[in-house]
Amino acid sequence: MPAASTCRRQPRRRHRRRRRPERWPGRERRPSALSVSSSGSLLRLGWWWTFGDDGEVATMIEVAREAGVSAMTVSNVINGRPGVSAATRRRVLDAVAKLGYQVNLAARHLRAGRTGTVGLIVPDLDGVYYAQLADRLSRRMEGRGHHLALVHTAGRRERELEALSLGRLSMYDGVIMSLIQVEAADLEGPTFDTPVIFIGERPVPTTFDHVMMDNVGGALLATRHLLSTGSRRIAVIGGHHDDEVDNMPTLRTRGYRQAHAELGAEVDERLAVPLEAFTMEEGYRGLMRLHESGVPFDGAFALTDAAALGALRALADLGLRVPDDVQVIGFDNGKETGFLTPRLSSVEPGNDIMADTVMALLQERIRPDAADDGAAPRRHIMLPARLELRESTR
């Protein structure tokens, strides 16, 4: 028989894993993001810290323990899901407040590859139109996992280009933008990973979605109504005669001229009153300048409701009756138009349809599989305009 081996089996050397230093000394790293899988089991989505008033970490599990419910119930309450009784919801919210628990939205969106934010980039935050557009859009985003962030460009080219830089666009899941200075040629080269939907009359390449109001058609309707109800010398407040440029003032002035041509009425170019801005103050000053010039008028088409409000105040100060002496009609059909004295007639450019259309396009472009159809043709949509007649016209 072979001799027995004299070699002993050496014990395996055990390596101690080096502990990674804590990012925040004294803080315990704990899982707190929980969700429910399609099978109904709880899945850990990630790690984060939330700190209460006493500096201690509060997790969803601790909130559940404090409230005497499951972590899934806490998740349902925090995310506003139905199926939780009022009493249970109150216990969970009391526990959240007591422990200082806060959901880390940044971590949630990072895991999902989303920011949770849609940018609305506009030239003006002082005027009524963009404020009401922001309100309509934000209301439609409620419950869809997004919130609206407003960016003000003041209509300056450099700020519009900055807002369209890749670094800025990466902050959003999608962008809705109204251009004033940037031209279509500036947008020919770049491609954006972030969906951008343009609104307004500024031309853009066909590689972008574009939702527009019918500026020419709306102005045509307004002027046609004034002419058909007896006005013959209609001032266009904010008007600008120029067939070479397509912007809001020139397009609406074009519709004004088309209505005159359609009814065989003469256009007196002295009745075009340029404005430095489409505000109430400028509308007031513009109508006052027209009156002081001695050019007669018996109607006024203001290119925005804000300018129309200023014109109404000027007519009242001049002792002229609306609509008996001068008819007045605006454009935008803002919410305030029905609460003036007299109530202001206005062009309704499709405000709610605009918000609905933009939201539908946005949801389509930012859905998870939208990257697969990046070559799909973009849409250029013109919304119909109509008149909302009130007391300021006959």
Side-chain angles (χ1 to χ4, degrees), residues 63 66-67 87-100:
V63 172
E66 176 71 24
T88 300
R89 187 178 301 276
R90 173 45 53 194
R91 289 206 315 275
V92 171
L93 293 176
D94 288 344
V96 166
K98 178 179 178 180
L99 297 178

Side-chain angles (χ1 to χ4, degrees), residues 117-143:
T117 303
V118 171
L120 176 61
I121 305 173
V122 296
D124 174 28
L125 291 179
D126 185 48
V128 172
Y129 175 77
Y130 287 113
Q132 293 184 5
L133 173 63
D135 178 67
R136 291 184 181 96
L137 290 172
S138 63
R139 288 177 183 276
R140 284 160 174 80
M141 289 182 193
E142 290 178 1

Side-chain angles (χ1 to χ4, degrees), residues 51-107:
F51 302 94
D53 293 337
D54 58 359
E56 294 298 319
V57 179
T59 70
M60 186 181 290
I61 294 174
E62 290 170 339
V63 172
R65 187 181 300 121
E66 176 71 24
V69 298
S70 68
M72 183 169 64
T73 299
V74 175
S75 177
N76 289 338
V77 171
I78 290 171
N79 291 289
R81 301 189 186 106
V84 182
S85 70
T88 300
R89 187 178 301 276
R90 173 45 53 194
R91 289 206 315 275
V92 171
L93 293 176
D94 288 344
V96 166
K98 178 179 178 180
L99 297 178
Y101 177 79
Q102 294 180 349
V103 177
N104 191 325
L105 291 176

